[in-house]
């Protein structure tokens, strides 16, 4: 037995409900307002952006830039402190002189390599801290390289401080 559906009557009833403000949307049919609400909560704009390969490489570059800025800052201050004729306040800077050089170089690298977003700046700062506190370990594992950059006395002092961090093939 076939049930006859009067589509004109059903459509007229639906129009009446819409006009009175009692709009009914079927569960399996998504209306415009439902879709709009869904997009507002879970839409494309609200999703966390995916990190591309280039972004991941830039974070690595930022980390290496942080390490190199501390190293170059230390080398620059070390060699400039040997020069005579500079103001006496320059020689009194000590470790702060290296930090000043490293800070200026890090700012220059931020501008040159566009490292100004949050994750890149964090990677740069972590690189700076790692190189600042890991200098003794690097000097201990590569004393001949360190003596080329700095004086032999300074390289020996740093290698002695990092003797506990020496890498050996045995582990």
């Amino acid at each position: 037995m076939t049930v006859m559906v009067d589509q004109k009557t059903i459509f007229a009833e639906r129009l009446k409900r819409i006009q009175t403000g009692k709009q009914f949307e079927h569960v399996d049919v998504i209306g415009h307002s439902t879709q709009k609400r869904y997009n507002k909560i879970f839409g494309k704009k609200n999703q966390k952006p995916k990190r591309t390969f280039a972004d991941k490489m830039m974070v690595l570059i930022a980390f290496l830039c942080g390490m190199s800025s501390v190293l170059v800052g230390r080398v620059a201050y070390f060699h400039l402190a040997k020069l005579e004729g500079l103001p006496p306040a320059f020689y009194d800077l000590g470790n702060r002189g290296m930090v000043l050089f490293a800070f200026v170089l890090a700012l220059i690298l931020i501008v040159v390599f566009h490292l100004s977003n949050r994750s890149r700046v964090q990677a740069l700062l972590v690189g700076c801290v790692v190189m600042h506190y890991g200098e003794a370990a690097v000097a201990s594992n590569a004393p001949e390289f360190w003596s080329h950059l700095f004086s032999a006395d300074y390289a020996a002092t740093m290698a002695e401080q990092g003797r506990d961090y020496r890498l050996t093939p045995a582990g």
Side-chain angles (χ1 to χ4, degrees):
M1 180 167 189
T2 310
V3 179
M4 295 283 285
V5 178
D6 186 16
Q7 291 183 352
K8 287 184 181 182
T9 309
I10 293 173
F11 184 70
E13 287 175 10
R14 185 158 194 249
L15 279 177
K16 254 196 267 179
R17 280 194 312 267
I18 290 171
Q19 289 170 353
T20 59
K22 297 178 182 173
Q23 184 172 355
F24 172 78
E25 293 179 357
H26 296 284
V27 176
D28 57 342
V29 177
I30 297 176
H32 179 70
S33 62
T34 308
Q35 185 67 40
K36 195 172 171 185
R37 215 171 330 136
Y38 177 83
N39 285 342
K40 186 175 182 181
I41 297 170
F42 302 107
K44 191 79 171 157
K45 283 193 276 185
N46 296 333
Q47 291 178 353
K48 188 174 181 180
K50 303 281 187 230
R51 212 180 252 180
T52 63
F53 179 73
D55 289 336
K56 291 176 185 176
M57 288 304 296
M58 288 305 291
V59 169
L60 178 65
I61 288 171
F63 178 75
L64 295 174
C65 284
M67 290 179 70
S68 64
S69 67
V70 170
L71 178 64
V72 170
R74 192 172 301 279
V75 169
Y77 183 73
F78 185 82
H79 290 294
L80 284 175
K82 288 182 180 178
L83 296 177
E84 293 182 21
L86 294 173
F90 181 79
Y91 300 109
D92 294 337
L93 286 175
N95 203 26
R96 293 171 300 190
M98 180 280 304
V99 171
L100 181 65
F101 277 103
F103 179 72
V104 170
L105 184 60
L107 288 178
I108 290 170
L109 291 174
I110 285 173
V111 171
V112 169
F113 290 118
H114 305 288
L115 305 175
S116 57
N117 76 15
R118 183 178 176 193
S119 61
R120 294 175 189 174
V121 169
Q122 288 174 348
L124 184 111
L125 291 175
V126 168
C128 289
V129 169
V130 164
M131 190 61 193
H132 180 71
Y133 290 109
E135 179 189 7
V138 174
S140 171
N141 288 301
E144 59 281 340
F145 173 70
W146 222 246
S147 64
H148 287 357
L149 293 177
F150 302 101
S151 67
D153 298 336
Y154 181 76
T157 304
M158 291 309 291
E160 184 60 32
Q161 286 180 5
R163 69 182 176 275
D164 297 335
Y165 305 108
R166 196 164 288 139
L167 297 175
T168 59

